[in-house]
Amino acid sequence: MQTIPIIDLNKQYQAIRLEVEEACQRVFANGSFILGSEVSAFEKEFAAYCDSVYAVGVASGTEALQLALMACGIGENDEVITTAHTAVATVAAIEASGAFPRLVDIDLVNYALNPTLLEAALTPRTRAIIPVHLYGCPADLNPILEFAKQHGLWVIEDCSQAHGAKYLGKKVGSFGALAAFSFYPTKNLGAFGDGGAVITQDANLAEKIGALRQYGWKEHYISSVKGMNSRLDELQAAILRVKLKYVDAWNLRRRELTNLYLGALQNTRAILPNQPAGCEHVFHQFVIRHPQRNALKAFLKSKGVQTLIHYPMPIHLQPAYADLGYRSGSLPNAERAANEVLSLPMYPELTEEQVRFVCACILEFETLQK
Ligand SMILES: Cc1ncc(COP(=O)(O)O)c(C=O)c1O
């Protein structure tokens, strides 16, 4: 029986192996492993790729968010608004900064923060909003930016799943005061280990992040502020420089595969992902909703098709976050998404034949249910 994995990182590695190995050799020969010329070059290249000005390489997407909050002076006694349907990392970063995560519900059209719910979430302590461009689909940024402006709030975009996505013709990450990216290996731009970046168009904020990622140093061994150790290493930066050249082509391929999925699944009971007007979705995940999600998942597994659930439990119902004080039923769309979403295999190296097979299995499942 053929198996179709949810992702195949080895296939991607084989396609760019020589370039990756050459980049690694360059770092080994250079003998500089932390914050050297590869990180500086990657920061310039990545900022330009994101239609932005400054990028600061850090150790992970979670710490990119945490450092962005710290650079805005956000901490204890402050509140930060984000959604309950996101990677737990978004909320973990808010808590790591010392602030309180105020969770709002999502819009099921784009799985992102519903801007009409911001007013009700606002308190005198609110300092920032973190919209998450989940699955690669840009959040509806304009009303969020407008609300933030009216109330003097920071907007920090969580772009961890949306490298290269565009909102109204511009790359996500170039809208908020700051934006955080993850280079976790499975991301649209993934390292061979952990990595992340904060981007901004503000020289002052970039300088702050640059200091905060290394013990608050502006000059060596002198901490001007209290910082941490969150550095992107040279090996990861060198590899990311190789992969950055391919991201647009890979995103294009993701969109081609998406079109194939959308065509083949049109007449099923699956609710298919939207591409909202004015948005260029990069399909980090291809996520459907299905009324019989668990049975469908089990059926696909029996056919050798791996799937995942992003995410099976909204943040406000997770045991660790019981102290936030939400109850079941309070964020109904996030709860519904958790019960119905299913991520199908999606990566540039997936073949059209594999996509057709996944779709045929879904059609077979539905026929069997009749
Ligand atoms: C939406 C979102 N935010 C933040 C993160 C955190 O990134 P990392 O795993 O690099 O810390 C991730 C990835 O895991 C993510 O998907």
Side-chain angles (χ1 to χ4, degrees):
M1 185 173 75
Q2 70 162 327
T3 58
I4 304 184
I6 188 76
I7 192 160
D8 189 343
L9 291 177
N10 190 262
K11 246 184 168 177
Q12 187 185 71
Y13 170 57
Q14 292 308 332
I16 55 171
R17 191 167 62 87
L18 290 180
E19 279 183 279
V20 166
E21 289 177 0
E22 202 180 281
C24 292
Q25 291 297 339
R26 195 170 64 228
V27 175
F28 297 144
N30 208 348
S32 161
F33 297 105
I34 300 284
L35 296 187
S37 57
E38 298 290 341
V39 170
S40 305
F42 173 69
E43 288 174 338
K44 285 196 185 71
E45 290 159 9
F46 189 62
Y49 176 79
C50 295
D51 296 338
S52 194
V53 184
Y54 304 99
V56 184
V58 301
S60 71
T62 310
E63 290 182 352
L65 285 167
Q66 184 188 343
L67 288 159
L69 289 162
M70 287 166 73
C72 298
I74 294 169
E76 255 171 65
N77 299 321
D78 294 328
E79 292 188 6
V80 176
I81 299 174
T82 193
T83 79
H85 183 67
T86 178
V88 76
T90 314
V91 176
I94 297 171
E95 292 228 319
S97 77
F100 178 84
R102 176 79 51 194
L103 304 178
V104 298
D105 210 355
I106 51 163
D107 190 332
L108 286 170
V109 169
N110 57 4
Y111 299 100
L113 189 152
N114 179 345
T116 65
L117 302 174
L118 285 170
E119 192 75 53
L122 189 73
T123 77
R125 293 182 168 184
T126 310
R127 299 283 311 282
I129 306 172
I130 302 185
V132 184
H133 307 300
L134 203 69
Y135 308 146
C137 183
D140 190 10
L141 286 169
N142 269 352
I144 297 170
L145 293 162
E146 180 64 24
F147 183 88
K149 200 170 160 194
Q150 267 171 22
H151 297 279
L153 309 175
W154 296 93
V155 173
I156 299 169
E157 295 173 70
D158 185 344
C159 301
S160 296
Q161 301 192 4
H163 313 72
K166 286 184 181 169
Y167 178 76
L168 303 180
K170 255 177 68 185
K171 295 265 173 67
V172 298
S174 63
F175 292 87
L178 295 146
F181 285 83
S182 164
F183 304 125
Y184 185 77
T186 59
K187 303 299 189 199
N188 288 31
L189 174 60
F192 282 28
D194 274 312
V198 183
I199 66 167
T200 181
Q201 302 180 51
D202 182 318
N204 186 35
L205 287 173
E207 197 192 345
K208 275 189 184 165
I209 302 277
L212 287 166
R213 77 171 161 187
Q214 185 161 241
Y215 320 122
W217 291 350
K218 278 187 190 155
E219 70 185 274
H220 239 65
Y221 306 128
I222 309 293
S223 296
S224 54
V225 290
K226 288 177 183 162
M228 54 200 264
N229 173 356
S230 182
R231 300 174 294 220
L232 181 67
D233 67 67
E234 286 284 285
L235 264 180
Q236 300 306 338
I239 294 167
L240 287 165
R241 291 183 70 198
V242 171
K243 292 180 79 173
L244 183 59
K245 292 185 288 182
Y246 296 99
V247 175
D248 283 341
W250 287 336
N251 283 346
L252 196 67
R253 173 72 180 156
R254 286 173 187 269
R255 275 195 287 276
E256 281 168 13
L257 295 170
T258 291
N259 289 336
L260 202 58
Y261 267 126
L262 294 177
L265 296 176
Q266 224 172 50
N267 296 320
T268 64
R269 289 199 291 141
I271 296 171
L272 303 174
N274 287 295
Q275 302 180 67
C279 291
E280 209 170 293
H281 195 317
V282 289
F283 291 95
H284 171 58
Q285 301 292 348
F286 184 87
V287 177
I288 62 168
R289 296 210 314 279
H290 200 279
Q292 288 166 285
R293 191 268 313 271
N294 292 344
L296 174 60
K297 183 172 176 32
F299 183 79
L300 289 173
K301 187 176 175 200
S302 76
K303 296 285 183 181
V305 178
Q306 265 182 18
T307 59
L308 282 176
I309 296 172
H310 298 100
Y311 298 92
M313 189 180 280
I315 309 292
H316 65 294
L317 301 183
Q318 300 210 7
Y321 295 98
D323 63 344
L324 298 183
Y326 295 86
R327 52 177 178 75
S328 175
S330 56
L331 302 171
N333 284 350
E335 292 169 36
R336 179 161 181 199
N339 288 329
E340 295 181 357
V341 292
L342 187 65
S343 306
L344 304 181
M346 171 53 76
Y347 41 97
E349 299 75 23
L350 197 64
T351 67
E352 285 156 34
E353 191 196 343
Q354 286 175 313
V355 171
R356 277 194 278 271
F357 179 75
V358 176
C359 295
C361 292
I362 295 173
L363 286 160
E364 188 186 343
F365 171 78
E366 295 205 344
T367 309
L368 291 171
Q369 302 301 306
K370 278 182 186 154

